[in-house]
Amino acid sequence: RPHSRPRHPGVCTMLPLLLLLLPAAHGVVHLKYTPALTTEPPLEGVKTASTFAVDQPRCVFQNYGNAVIWLVVALDQAASTFNNTARPASPETAFQRFPNPVPAYMTLNTTLANYPCPSPEGDITVLRVGSETSCTQDERRPSCNGPLPGPGPYRVKFLALEDSVPVAETSWSQPITLRQAKSPNSISTAGSGHSAGMIAITTILSILFAILLAGLVAMLFFWGSDSCGSSSSFSKPESVTVRRYNPHHVYDQPAARL
C-alpha cells in the first residue's frame, strides 16, 4: 500500500516487556474483608465529633507476615481515586495536609504480630481513629492519627505493604459520618407547647410561694411588735414592807425584864 509505513522494529521487542509488567502493576491482592465500625458492647462513643472506632483486621493478612499494615482514611468522594502506590509517611499521604490538598492519609501502621489470630481472650480488638492530639501540627509525624477535621463522611481500608510495595488490600468501608453538635439557631421550637406550659406553671407557683413567704414574714413581724408593747405596759410591783412584830407575852417573862 502506498500510505502504509513499516512497523518500527522496537515495537515487537517492547510488547512482551509490557505484558510482563502488566501483572506486576496489578499485583495487589484484594482481600474479602470490609472494615466496619466496632460493635463490641463494652465500648462507648463508637462515633464522636472527631473520632470513630473500627474493628482490627484480625485473621485477614495471615499470608503477609512480612508486611506493614496501614490504615487509609479518605474522604468519601476520594476513596475510589486513592493510589495504592502513594508513599506512606510522606507529604502526599500526610495527616497534616488532610483534607486539602491531601484527600486521603495513611496512619496506624503496624505489623501482623499486633493482629494475632485468633484473638487472645481479653485483648482490645478495636482501633480508635483520630485519638492523637499531640502530633496534629507536627509535620515530622505525617502518619499522625490526629482528630478528624469534620463530620465527613469518611471511608477506611487496610493496605499491606512489603518494602513500601503494596501487596494486599481490603475493601473500603461504608461511609462513616461523625456526630455534629447542633447550633442553637438550628434547634426547632415547634412542638414546645408543653415546655411553655410548664414554664407558666412554675412561674405561678414561684409567685404564690413569694406571696406566702412575705405574709409569713409580716405575721412574725407584727407578733414581735405586740410582744414588745405588752411587756412595756407591765407596772413595777409594789415593794412589800414586812413589819416586825413582837408578841406581848415575850415581855411578860421574868427573864426578859432582867
Side-chain angles (χ1 to χ4, degrees):
R1 297 177 181 178
H3 298 287
S4 62
R5 294 181 180 179
R7 184 175 296 177
H8 196 279
V11 174
C12 296
T13 58
M14 291 184 62
L15 188 59
L17 182 61
L18 292 175
L19 294 176
L20 290 175
L21 293 176
L22 189 61
H26 296 81
V28 180
V29 176
H30 184 78
L31 304 175
K32 294 181 179 180
Y33 178 80
T34 302
L37 293 174
T38 184
T39 57
E40 290 195 8
L43 186 65
E44 296 183 0
V46 175
K47 291 192 300 183
T48 67
S50 59
T51 69
F52 61 88
V54 296
D55 289 321
Q56 294 180 359
R58 300 291 178 104
C59 305
V60 176
F61 294 95
Q62 296 306 109
N63 297 329
Y64 305 93
N66 297 325
V68 177
I69 304 168
W70 290 81
L71 178 70
V72 184
V73 183
L75 296 175
D76 180 25
Q77 64 270 21
S80 60
T81 60
F82 176 75
N83 183 8
N84 284 339
T85 61
R87 291 183 302 135
S90 67
E92 60 181 329
T93 57
F95 167 80
Q96 289 78 13
R97 306 180 69 187
F98 180 80
N100 188 21
V102 173
Y105 67 96
M106 300 175 68
T107 185
L108 295 176
N109 56 306
T110 187
T111 61
L112 190 62
N114 291 318
Y115 295 147
C117 177
S119 302
E121 185 177 356
D123 264 18
I124 298 175
T125 59
V126 299
L127 297 175
R128 172 70 67 175
V129 181
S131 60
E132 293 185 74
T133 57
S134 59
C135 56
T136 302
Q137 304 296 331
D138 189 358
E139 295 187 357
R140 296 171 300 178
R141 293 188 57 190
S143 59
C144 174
N145 181 30
L148 295 164
Y154 305 98
R155 288 180 184 261
V156 298
K157 76 172 181 178
F158 292 97
L159 180 64
L161 284 77
E162 293 181 353
D163 296 328
S164 299
V165 177
V167 292
E169 66 174 349
T170 68
S171 300
W172 287 99
S173 69
Q174 293 298 315
I176 300 172
T177 303
L178 303 184
R179 294 184 177 180
Q180 284 183 278
K182 290 186 177 181
S183 171
N185 297 329
S186 65
I187 299 176
S188 175
T189 58
S192 60
H194 180 71
S195 299
M198 292 298 295
I199 293 174
I201 293 174
T202 304
T203 304
I204 293 173
L205 291 177
S206 300
I207 294 173
L208 292 176
F209 179 75
I211 294 173
L212 180 62
L213 183 62
L216 181 61
V217 171
M219 187 180 298
L220 293 175
F221 176 78
F222 286 119
W223 280 355
S225 300
D226 292 343
S227 300
C228 293
S230 58
S231 62
S232 62
S233 62
F234 290 153
S235 58
K236 183 178 181 181
E238 296 181 358
S239 59
V240 180
T241 303
V242 179
R243 294 181 182 181
R244 186 175 182 181
Y245 176 75
N246 295 325
H248 297 286
H249 67 274
V250 174
Y251 295 101
D252 292 338
Q253 302 295 329
R257 295 177 182 177
L258 292 180

